[in-house]
Amino acid sequence: MWSSRLMFIMAAAGSAVGLGNIWRFPYIAGENGGGAFVLVYLGCIFLIGVPIMASEILLGRAGRQSPINAMRDLVAHSNANPLWQAIGWMGALAGFMILSFYAVIAGWAMSYLFQMGSGAFTGADAAQATTAFDALTDDVGAVVGWHTLFMAMTIAIAARGVGAGLESTVKILMPALFFLLVVLVIYSAVTSGKFTAGLSFLFSFNIEKLTWNGVLMAMGQAFFTLSLGMGAIMAYGAYMPKDTSIISTAATIALLDTVVALMSGMVIFPLVFANGLETAEGPGLMFVTLPLAFGQMTGGAFFGAVFFLLVTFAAITSSISLVEPAIAWLIERLKTTRTKAALVVGGLAWLMGLGSAFSFNVWEDLHFVNGMTFFDLMDYVSNNILLPLGGVLIALFAGWGIDQQITRDQLAVSPGVYQIWRFVTRFIAPTAVFLVFLLAFF
Ligand code: PHE
């Protein structure tokens, strides 16, 4: 069990804050025209995300096991339809899919750590930064090597289990990451000369730029960034102390997560405009813009290396939560050790990840549906379909399926707040998600 409420918040925030905030949020917002996308995203975080996160934590804490087995027991206890157990299985699948590309991107960040540290970007201009990014992603050996190293680190930490590896790591790294982001925002504001342009891109409401697919992406990003809909938060909830308030904890985590995402946007977009780069640059956005900033800064090689080090750690505190549902289940099911379970889960995700590693080089021209590469497909299916779907099923189960007394006991809030939570999970969140699916796909 987590040693305190603060530790649970740290661990859950460690899961939530990751590449999703620093790498994915800016680039997806950039591809979808900024402002209106951001507003939909924020709406999804607080109206749908927080209540669903509360549901996920409560199911985990009521079940006190891996998500798959927690769901099995809660279903049995509540005499609910066994089909609800699909939530656990779907979540484990989404976890594999996400980790498979997550580790590749985290691998890029690790490579940047060393490139920054060696001074490779000192004084670099936009063209050089772009070339350096392409050179890395084209280099299959390097990409696979970093991917492998990141996965090995994930396995090693996950194998040590909650507490030993995790608490001590998150406690120091999260505040450090936050601090460096503040420094970068100030840097961007003072030196780029385009801070207002960046802010207005992020916050002015240009509805014409937003498509229904963009709305779906905003919703998917909300689930992804909060680690919702696949059991990660449920697995962590299983270790949460009994007397901790779930709803206020969920709100705190969402707030922290949002602040980090918005700060990343405030660092990146002014740099985009100051250097004549494209907002719709794609997955390379962070990797092209940030080295430019560090390249101009005094001591930039050092701060840049530290920054990418922290990004790597933020990614690890997320990746260990991606494997936790599957690992916890394997341990219970096969009565095996944590180490073996971590090796199996990490190994499988590593194998799938090769597909994403190849998507930027040898498999660049291999397209699945709609011109998507393997990486695009993993990302799209997991974030835009599996997570929202899993999240809605979690909400529906918490709202309709489970014995109501369990939710009352777990949430332990005033009747008014309880009714609001119940109304959102039963009606608002499911309707919103299905409506977005409908409008985006048809
Ligand atoms: N929330 C993490 C991030 O933003 C990614 C993640 C998704 C982690 C789902 C766990 C579960 O980087």
Side-chain angles (χ1 to χ4, degrees), residues 12-25 56 94-95 98-99 101-102 221-233 257 314-315 317-323 325 383 387:
S15 165
V17 175
L19 297 174
N21 308 63
I22 303 162
W23 160 72
R24 199 170 186 273
F25 169 75
E56 205 170 320
I98 294 175
L99 183 58
F101 69 81
Y102 207 84
Q221 172 63 16
F223 280 93
F224 180 73
T225 193
L226 293 179
S227 307
L228 283 187
M230 53 75 60
I233 295 294
D257 186 84
T317 55
S318 301
S319 64
I320 50 181
S321 75
L322 281 163
V323 286
N383 296 322
L387 295 186

Side-chain angles (χ1 to χ4, degrees), residues 40 159 232:
V40 176

